[in-house]
Amino acid sequence: MAVSLAELARRAAADALALVLPVSCAGCGTLDVALCAACRRLLSTPLPLTRRLGPRLDVHSAFAYEGEPAAVLRALKEDGRTSLARPLGLALAARAASVFPGDRMRYVAVPTSPAAMRRRGYRVVELVLRRSGLPAVPALRTARRTADQRRLGRDDRARNVSGSLTAAGVTPGEKVVVVDDVVTTGATLSEAARALERAGGVVVGALTVAATPKRGSARDTATSED
C-alpha cells in the first residue's frame, strides 16, 4: 500500500525528534518505548492500599508512591507526557471497582491550582479521571489561593488549605468520591470532603493514584486491605 507524502513527512519528523529527545519508558527507563510491557503489567494490577483520614474518611490508593508508579506519575505531572494518563486512569478505575463494586456514585477531582495549570497547561487529576472512564462531576472550585503544599509540614498543610475549596452542582444526598493524584497528609482530601458535604453531597470515600509511604501516626499510614 502506498504511503502518502504527509505520512512520510510525519515519520521523518518523528525520527528526527527521537534523535534529539529519545523516548524511554516512563517507569523503568527502557529505551525506545513510552511505557514498556512490564510497567504496563504493573500498572494494570493496583494494590489494595487504604489510609484512614480523621474519624471516617478512607482513602483508597492504587499504588504506593515509589518505584515505577511514582516515576510514571512524575512523568505525567512534570514532563508533559499526557499519554500516561490513560494507564494511570485505568488503574484508578480498577481500584474503584474493587472498593465500590456496583455502587452508583460520581467522582470529583480535586481542582488544580491556577499556578500548576499555568505551569503545565493541563489539569493532571481531571485528565486521569477522564481517562479512567469513571462517571465524573466537576463540583469542586478553588475559593482562595494557597501556598505550595510541598514546602509545608502536616499542621501547616491543614491550615493552608482550610476553607480553600467550595463545591456546587452536587445533588443533596448524592454519593460522591473525592479523587486526587497522591495522598500525603490528606489535608487537601479532607478539605475537599468538607466542601462537598457542605454542598449536600455524601462523601463515601476518596481515591488516589498513589499514597506516599508511611509517615507520621498509624492513622495516617497506608495499610494493606488484605
Side-chain angles (χ1 to χ4, degrees), residues 58 60 95-105 107 177 204-207:
D58 286 335
H60 307 283
R95 186 72 181 103
S98 71
V99 179
F100 310 113
D103 288 349
R104 297 183 62 184
M105 61 191 65
Y107 294 77
V177 176
V204 298
L207 188 66

Side-chain angles (χ1 to χ4, degrees), residues 46-63:
L47 301 174
L49 301 176
T50 295
R51 175 177 300 184
R52 170 61 59 89
L53 298 179
R56 58 190 180 87
L57 180 62
D58 286 335
V59 184
H60 307 283
S61 303
F63 306 103

Side-chain angles (χ1 to χ4, degrees), residues 56-57 140 167 170 176 190-204:
R56 58 190 180 87
L57 180 62
L140 286 169
V170 177
V176 293
S190 295
E191 167 61 15
R194 179 206 63 78
L196 288 166
E197 289 177 343
R198 185 172 184 179
V202 177
V203 179
V204 298

Side-chain angles (χ1 to χ4, degrees), residues 3-192:
V3 179
S4 68
L5 289 176
E7 176 62 16
L8 287 173
R10 186 196 68 77
R11 292 180 184 178
D15 290 341
L17 186 61
L19 291 174
V20 180
L21 298 173
V23 175
S24 63
C25 174
C28 66
T30 298
L31 294 178
D32 298 326
V33 61
L35 191 64
C36 73
C39 287
R40 284 190 180 277
R41 285 194 298 271
L42 187 152
L43 293 180
S44 70
T45 312
L47 301 174
L49 301 176
T50 295
R51 175 177 300 184
R52 170 61 59 89
L53 298 179
R56 58 190 180 87
L57 180 62
D58 286 335
V59 184
H60 307 283
S61 303
F63 306 103
Y65 189 65
E66 56 191 15
E68 289 86 348
V72 172
L73 192 50
R74 284 194 297 268
L76 168 62
K77 295 179 67 172
E78 307 305 334
D79 299 337
R81 298 178 63 171
T82 54
S83 64
L84 299 171
R86 176 66 174 172
L88 292 174
L90 294 177
L92 198 71
R95 186 72 181 103
S98 71
V99 179
F100 310 113
D103 288 349
R104 297 183 62 184
M105 61 191 65
R106 293 202 285 179
Y107 294 77
V108 183
V110 169
T112 300
S113 70
M117 179 60 188
R118 287 192 298 270
R119 185 171 70 252
R120 298 189 183 110
Y122 54 95
R123 298 175 175 85
V124 171
V125 183
E126 291 181 21
L127 179 60
V128 172
L129 181 55
R130 188 160 62 247
R131 296 291 185 266
S132 75
L134 294 168
V137 55
L140 286 169
R141 296 288 184 274
T142 300
R144 63 170 179 79
R145 295 180 63 181
T146 59
D148 189 338
Q149 291 280 79
R150 293 173 295 182
R151 301 187 179 95
L152 304 177
R154 182 185 304 276
D155 293 341
D156 288 337
R157 284 181 179 227
R159 285 190 290 269
N160 183 46
V161 300
S162 179
S164 65
L165 297 177
T166 186
V170 177
T171 304
E174 182 177 24
K175 292 182 178 180
V176 293
V177 176
V178 186
V179 180
D180 206 353
D181 54 354
V182 180
V183 55
T184 303
T185 66
T188 302
L189 288 171
S190 295
E191 167 61 15

